[in-house]
Amino acid sequence: MKLNTNSNAYIIIYSTILVVIVAFLLAFVSQSLKPMQDANVALDQKKQILNSLNLRDLDDAEAEARYSQVVKSEEQVEGMTYYNCEIDGRQKYVFPLKGMGLWGGISGFIAVDDDLNTIFGAYFNHEGETAGLGAEIKDSQEWQERFSGKKIFGADGSLAIGVVKNVDNAESQVDAVTGATLTSNGVNDMLRSGLAAYIQALRK
């Protein structure tokens, strides 16, 4: 019996078989690549942590080696993860932060000295901020480096760290990114709420 390749039944069966085969292949490829994808995500996070510790421009092998050297442990305080690190014999805390920018999520890793008040280094990331404007929180190393040495709390113990348009406290504030007010506000909110939560929990 000759198969009628123009019939509706044939077309439906052929299409169904084709969809099943393609779906199976896609699922197989996805599962096969998942370990590699997970490893790349983990390595990227390690590089971001190292960036916050002012250890930048490392290739993959260098990043893995330096991470093992400087990150001593991953800890939890009140359900929040942070990293105990050591640079040149001095303890540093690295705090992961998350917030919202103009177009989506923003994040960062902030390294803080053992006094729990002085920022040692910072690295910021984003999901979809505008290139040349809000994206500068990630793309501008010079802007990130402005956070080094800033005080989180004032002499009276009040929260002082901030990202502002007009700096009136150079000890604790950083200039906002030009033309990216909402993204800068997001970084400011993320810093103030996130750092305060970590440090208050650790000081208890």
Side-chain angles (χ1 to χ4, degrees):
M1 177 177 170
K2 187 176 180 181
L3 196 63
N4 182 6
T5 58
N6 293 319
S7 69
N8 291 336
Y10 175 86
I11 293 172
I12 292 171
I13 293 171
Y14 180 84
S15 300
T16 301
I17 293 173
L18 189 62
V19 167
V20 170
I21 292 173
V22 170
F24 173 80
L25 290 174
L26 288 175
F28 175 78
V29 170
S30 177
Q31 285 299 113
S32 299
L33 293 177
K34 192 175 187 305
M36 184 183 301
Q37 293 169 341
D38 291 344
N40 287 336
V41 169
L43 178 59
D44 181 63
Q45 177 170 300
K46 290 177 180 179
K47 286 184 174 181
Q48 291 186 44
I49 292 171
L50 292 172
N51 285 341
S52 76
L53 291 163
N54 302 316
L55 299 170
R56 297 173 178 260
D57 302 320
L58 304 175
D59 63 30
D60 292 353
E62 290 172 332
E64 290 283 9
R66 288 295 279 155
Y67 187 88
S68 298
Q69 291 171 359
V70 304
V71 179
K72 302 304 181 183
S73 63
E74 181 179 323
E75 305 287 347
Q76 291 269 331
V77 59
E78 296 186 358
M80 301 180 293
T81 300
Y82 69 97
Y83 302 86
N84 269 322
C85 307
E86 186 177 301
I87 299 288
D88 298 329
R90 298 294 301 272
Q91 184 180 16
K92 311 293 178 186
Y93 300 92
V94 174
F95 302 122
L97 306 177
K98 291 188 179 296
M100 283 297 297
L102 174 60
W103 300 114
I106 57 176
S107 59
F109 288 95
I110 308 299
V112 176
D113 287 342
D114 57 4
D115 64 358
L116 288 174
N117 190 40
T118 307
I119 294 179
F120 179 72
Y123 179 80
F124 299 104
N125 206 344
H126 67 90
E127 294 178 1
E129 300 306 291
T130 306
L133 297 173
E136 288 298 287
I137 66 170
K138 174 185 177 182
D139 298 338
S140 175
Q141 180 177 332
E142 185 274 333
W143 189 76
Q144 293 175 9
E145 289 173 345
R146 295 180 189 178
F147 289 86
S148 296
K150 299 298 182 183
K151 299 297 182 182
I152 299 168
F153 298 95
D156 61 356
S158 63
L159 189 62
I161 188 67
V163 177
V164 298
K165 283 186 177 181
N166 299 303
V167 171
D168 57 21
N169 178 5
E171 189 176 58
S172 296
Q173 296 175 339
V174 172
D175 281 315
V177 176
T178 303
T181 299
L182 293 179
T183 305
S184 297
N185 289 345
V187 175
N188 177 71
D189 295 341
M190 177 176 72
L191 279 173
R192 290 176 64 85
S193 61
L195 289 177
Y198 274 110
I199 294 170
Q200 288 168 4
L202 287 172
R203 285 179 171 172
K204 288 181 179 179

